[in-house]
Amino acid sequence: MEILTQHLQAMADAVDFPLMDRWLEDHVDVPIVATAFYLFLVHVVRDSYMKGRPAYHLRGLNIMWNLFLSFFSFVGAYYCVPRLYEIVTAPVISGLEPSSLRYVANMTAAMRRNIVIPDDFREGVDAVGVRGSLDTSLCVYKDDVYRRNISGLLCLAFMFSKIPEMFDTAFLVFQKKPVIFLHWYHHVTVMLYCWHAWISPTSSGLWFVCMNFSVHAIMYFYYFIAACGYGKLVRPFAPLITFLQIAQMVVGSAIAVYVYYMDQFGDGCDCRSSNAKLALMMYISYFVLFSQFFRNRYIKKKPKPSVPSTISSAAPSLSADKKTQ
């Protein structure tokens, strides 16, 4: 991993993050256009173009796609989760720019309640530290907390990845597999939310990134194994993956409630209330839909079919589980 770390650090050093922030703010049309093309794929290409046509054989591409996404998610979790752990537990968080920590009076309320002030501190000369805590990880927004260096590079890649991840649906459409509401609704909403979260002060964003990377690393590896022809071998793990997705929605909802409460009624939180409300609505809707899916797929008893059916799928038991935030 040392070689990978060196390459990622070199890439992070080459990225002009402030420029990227401005570019994303100036190009909010990109996710809207991506949504339009995506819905065209789901509701026009699937129902019109593919109707009456034979399914494409995309197994090889599907195998490589799932392996790539699993590896990408694993790398993201490998570097981002330790950073989140530091932000939650460290006596003083590392990697923060000292020049921005010298003027306590100009800090937000969330930052002030989590700073560590040296005994000989002089305003404008010495820098304070920021302690790690759960409140810091949820309410303190500062660019170099998680939007710079390797973690920032991977968070940026995470945000952009939500557009190419829509190829998940293309594989289903061109192989004539079912595309249920949960599948395409999740793709659209998570992509739009991630773009909005990046251009907004989102103090809790690293939590969402780490949860998603971690679940996706497992989920896409499952699909890789299944696409290789070992679906029956890994099928017992399908309920566990869906359970992890539901757990992610529970934690995400709790985070959104905490952030919104602290911003509106508590001691302050470095976020936009609109983003916190969007996160809450998104996670609650996911919780309902994934719970319903779990119940219908793994708990509710189904009558045995009179004629055996076969499922031609790269991921036989989770064709609709394929989405987490």
Side-chain angles (χ1 to χ4, degrees), residues 71-132:
F71 176 75
F72 169 68
S73 300
F74 172 80
V75 170
Y78 181 84
Y79 288 98
C80 290
V81 171
R83 180 59 173 174
L84 177 61
Y85 181 78
E86 179 187 3
I87 295 170
V88 173
T89 64
V92 178
I93 299 173
S94 65
L96 303 185
E97 174 57 44
S99 63
S100 61
L101 297 172
R102 292 174 179 158
Y103 299 94
V104 176
N106 295 334
M107 292 180 178
T108 64
M111 178 72 82
R112 283 199 300 271
R113 68 174 180 263
N114 286 291
I115 59 174
V116 179
I117 302 178
D119 294 335
D120 57 349
F121 173 74
R122 294 166 294 171
E123 181 89 12
V125 178
D126 300 313
V128 300
V130 180
R131 74 169 183 266

Side-chain angles (χ1 to χ4, degrees), residues 19-36:
L19 178 63
M20 289 302 304
D21 293 343
R22 293 192 296 272
W23 188 91
L24 291 166
E25 290 177 0
D26 293 339
H27 292 83
V28 292
D29 56 312
V30 171
I32 297 174
V33 172
T35 299

